[in-house]
Amino acid sequence: MNNEVQVLYQDDRLLIAYKPYGVLSEFDAHKPNMPSLLKDKAGCDPVYPVHRLDRTTQGVMVYALSEDVARRLSAMIQQGQLEKTYLAVVEDVPEGSRGEYTDLLYFDRRKNKSYVVKRERRGVKQALLQYEVIQTIGHEERSLSLLQIRLMTGRTHQIRVQFASRKMPLVGDRRYGSHIPADHIQLCSARLSFTHPFTGEEMSFSYEPTEEYFKRFNP
């Protein structure tokens, strides 16, 4: 597992970086966080988060280096113009080799947990993702599946709760029902693709620890 912040790209407007597990994606004066680490690593100050990853998730993120760029990137994200692809290891095997899940999610801030619900009401948002099974292995009398997941919406704990609600929690995700020990939740923001908001250049950055994810579970 890579524990070091890596700068994958930087210009005078934005920065792409790899966020390790255990680091907050937004500023926090009391905990390891990406804006502070990037200030030291890349000499950027201030650094503006425009999206987030859970502390328990590693992977690729984009940061703005000015308020104007932050506004433009945030608008692109809201309009679905930032393509996010994840890798995850889940317990069991999905019914099809590829598919799509659509759910209504409610995030309980007090419990810091999302739930799949049946009816729309205040605070409920639609969640949509697409998945493809990359590999399946046996592990201690059960099956594990490595999935590639494309998020079509960005809800809190979306991937975690959508698979857990189908009896396929992410490995290591005790909050959502996993019983397989791991040093962290097996979820990675593997690739970001978008158009540079100023230059118009098509950009794509990846961090894909496929072998790392499965080698610890191989029998």
Side-chain angles (χ1 to χ4, degrees):
M1 180 177 63
N2 195 326
N3 290 311
E4 295 293 329
V5 171
Q6 297 179 38
V7 176
L8 306 179
Y9 173 86
Q10 182 180 352
D11 60 26
D12 59 351
R13 292 188 171 99
L14 56 84
L15 180 151
I16 313 296
Y18 161 76
K19 183 192 87 68
Y21 162 76
V23 175
L24 295 174
S25 57
E26 300 172 312
F27 178 76
D28 187 305
H30 305 291
K31 299 177 182 178
N33 65 89
M34 287 296 287
S36 295
L37 292 172
L38 289 172
K39 177 181 177 181
D40 296 335
K41 184 87 173 181
C44 300
D45 187 28
V47 175
Y48 298 87
V50 294
H51 64 126
R52 65 183 298 274
L53 288 179
D54 292 340
R55 182 183 61 81
T56 52
T57 301
Q58 62 179 331
V60 183
M61 298 191 69
V62 57
Y63 286 88
L65 301 182
S66 72
E67 291 184 354
D68 180 38
V69 178
R71 283 191 293 268
R72 295 196 188 199
L73 286 173
S74 295
M76 290 172 62
I77 291 170
Q78 291 174 3
Q79 295 164 13
Q81 297 174 2
L82 187 85
E83 184 176 319
K84 303 177 184 179
T85 304
Y86 290 76
L87 289 176
V89 179
V90 302
E91 298 181 22
D92 212 340
V93 184
E95 289 186 2
S97 60
R98 61 182 62 198
E100 182 174 289
Y101 292 157
T102 301
D103 294 295
L104 295 174
L105 301 189
Y106 173 74
F107 178 60
D108 188 325
R109 294 184 180 276
R110 184 174 60 85
K111 296 181 179 179
N112 189 32
K113 189 173 182 180
S114 289
Y115 298 87
V116 172
V117 297
K118 295 183 178 180
R119 298 188 303 274
E120 292 191 8
R121 55 187 171 94
R122 185 175 180 180
V124 171
K125 298 180 179 180
Q126 187 179 63
L128 173 64
L129 62 76
Q130 297 172 341
Y131 73 86
E132 180 180 357
V133 179
I134 304 300
Q135 185 182 356
T136 298
I137 65 169
H139 175 70
E140 296 182 355
E141 299 183 353
R142 68 179 74 190
S143 296
L144 304 180
S145 299
L146 175 65
L147 309 180
Q148 179 175 281
I149 300 164
R150 183 181 176 190
L151 273 187
M152 315 304 288
T153 55
R155 310 307 181 199
T156 302
H157 298 176
Q158 178 179 335
I159 293 173
R160 298 164 65 183
V161 68
Q162 285 196 272
F163 282 94
S165 70
R166 293 169 171 84
K167 310 299 183 185
M168 294 181 290
L170 274 62
V171 171
D173 192 359
R174 294 182 180 181
R175 179 180 294 272
Y176 288 97
S178 175
H179 297 292
I180 298 178
D183 53 4
H184 64 91
I185 296 171
Q186 302 301 286
L187 178 64
C188 174
S189 172
R191 185 166 64 249
L192 288 182
S193 300
F194 63 98
T195 301
H196 195 293
F198 287 88
T199 68
E201 179 185 358
E202 296 297 323
M203 311 187 78
S204 184
F205 301 90
S206 61
Y207 176 82
E208 303 187 8
T210 305
E211 292 183 3
E212 166 197 314
Y213 266 33
F214 254 163
K215 69 182 180 181
R216 73 190 66 184
F217 301 112
N218 280 328

